[in-house]
Structures are given as C-alpha cells and as structure tokens.
Amino acid sequence: MAPVRDTHASELSEKRMNRVDYNKAMKEIAAEGRLLLHVCCAPCSSSVLRRLVGYEIIPYYYNPNIDTEEEFLLRAAQFEKLNVTPEIVSYAHDEFLRAVLGHENDAEGGERCRACIALRLERTAQRAAQAGIGMFCSTLSVSPHKDADFINRTGETLAKKYGVKFLPNDFKKENGFLQSVQLSKEAGLYRQAYCGCEFAKNNGGEIRNDGTQ
C-alpha cells in the first residue's frame, strides 16, 4: 500500500524552503537616498531606525486602525522621546473601518489584519510617489505577529503600482524585535498592550509589544 502523504506537513515544508531572506535582500541594496518609512509606533521604530543607517529617513505616521483618537495621539507623542518627528496624518478611523468591513470578527492575523496592513502600505506608497521619494517600507515587520511575507509581497505590488521602490525587510529577525523591547524600556516609551483596533480587543486578540498575547 502506498504511503499516505501528509499534505499539510508538505505544504509547510515547501513554504519554509521557498521562504525569502528579506533582510539579505535589504542589505544588497545600497543604503542611500530618501526613504519614506511608515511608522506604526515608537517602540517598533526604535530598533528599525538604527538598522536603516545611510538612508535619509522620512517617518510617516499613518495609522487609522487605532481605536480612539486619544490612543492615536498618545502613540504619536512617543516619537519625541526618540528625537524623531514623523509626518502625522490626521486621525481618520473611518478609513480603517471601510477597509475591514465584513471582517470585524475575523481571527487575529486573518483577512482583517491583512486589509489593515495593505491600507497603511498603500497610503505610504501613494505619499512616496506624491513627494518624489524613491523608496518606502514599514516598521510593521518588527512584530512577531505580523506576516513578513505578506508585507513584502504587498509592498512590491504597490511599488509597481505607484512607480516607486519597496525596501524588503523582516525587521523582527536578527534580534530586531528584542532590541525594540530593550530600546523602548531605555527610552521610557509607552508600550501599548494591543496592536490598535477595537476588534482585536473585543475578540481577545490583544497583542503586547513584549511578544505576549
């Protein structure tokens, strides 16, 4: 009798074999010129900014997923402790709600989260093209809970759409996430207990910046 093939295990194995080393790809690109960096929060940005030495970084704070304007402003204020002044896009939670309509009850890491990431990356790509900034990326991949493959694939697609370049990355790797935790503590940053939206809170999907859930 022919052996039974474990389809799920085979798919996981294939995915691992085909996984791209995004940080290797990033290092192969000359670190120079202007880079529009979408910043989700100061804690995640703390380690990323250190890894992007050589670029003229323009931080871009567009995060309509955050559930209240009070929380949005609190997170934005933390950048001052890093001596960073991002371009802050006015709070517009309705943009996020439209993007995730119908996915409010999805599990964390599912379609709602992907729509949220795509929304923020697209606005960043649009802004880069508008401002004549040749390259963009995001701090989102610092989180152990964020899918670097999706972030990079989406970034590449948007780069082609808007005529700019996307800097490949997986900032959680090479101790990037752990460094962000340590640097946040050293700077006395407010480290939020959840990613941002009310649905994550209501569905028990709160995500801490120390990697716990």
Side-chain angles (χ1 to χ4, degrees):
M1 185 173 66
V4 176
R5 181 172 182 265
D6 187 336
T7 304
H8 179 65
S10 297
E11 288 176 351
L12 288 176
S13 178
E14 184 176 353
K15 185 175 181 180
R16 292 191 189 102
M17 290 176 61
N18 295 330
R19 186 168 293 165
V20 177
D21 187 338
Y22 295 110
N23 287 342
K24 180 180 178 182
M26 177 176 65
K27 292 170 185 175
E28 291 172 351
I29 298 171
E32 58 186 16
R34 294 196 297 167
L35 172 69
L36 188 66
L37 176 66
H38 168 260
V39 289
C40 56
C41 64
C44 288
S45 303
S46 61
S47 64
V48 173
L49 290 167
R50 292 195 174 195
R51 297 178 71 172
L52 294 176
V53 173
Y55 291 101
E56 180 186 343
I57 298 173
I58 298 94
Y60 185 67
Y61 185 78
Y62 172 68
N63 298 293
N65 58 304
I66 300 173
D67 57 344
T68 67
E69 187 169 15
E70 179 182 13
E71 179 73 16
F72 174 89
L73 294 173
L74 175 60
R75 297 187 189 192
Q78 303 308 301
F79 286 96
E80 185 175 354
K81 298 176 183 178
L82 298 176
N83 295 315
V84 171
T85 305
E87 176 182 343
I88 299 176
V89 180
S90 299
Y91 185 63
H93 193 51
D94 59 315
E95 295 179 6
F96 165 75
L97 294 176
R98 287 196 296 270
V100 303
L101 185 64
H103 297 283
E104 294 86 349
N105 296 316
D106 286 6
E108 286 301 291
E111 189 59 35
R112 184 186 68 246
C113 294
R114 288 190 287 273
C116 175
I117 290 169
L119 171 68
R120 290 186 278 173
L121 288 177
E122 179 148 24
R123 179 62 68 88
T124 307
Q126 288 175 328
R127 180 60 179 145
Q130 178 188 48
I133 300 171
M135 185 177 291
F136 77 101
C137 72
S138 173
T139 61
L140 285 167
S141 69
V142 170
S143 170
H145 303 281
K146 295 294 189 293
D147 184 346
D149 286 327
F150 177 77
I151 291 169
N152 282 273
R153 290 197 309 270
T154 303
E156 286 292 344
T157 298
L158 293 170
K160 293 175 183 177
K161 179 177 179 179
Y162 291 100
V164 292
K165 295 180 180 179
F166 179 77
L167 182 66
N169 65 85
D170 191 353
F171 291 123
K172 72 176 69 64
K173 298 293 182 63
E174 300 174 23
N175 293 319
F177 172 71
L178 294 177
Q179 289 172 7
S180 74
V181 173
Q182 183 60 41
L183 291 169
S184 297
K185 291 178 179 178
E186 292 175 2
L189 301 178
Y190 161 67
R191 296 170 61 243
Q192 63 270 12
Y194 63 109
C195 188
C197 78
E198 58 268 51
F199 307 117
K201 291 165 78 174
N202 295 339
N203 293 336
E206 298 186 14
I207 299 174
R208 299 188 58 85
N209 273 338
D210 58 8
T212 60
Q213 193 167 344

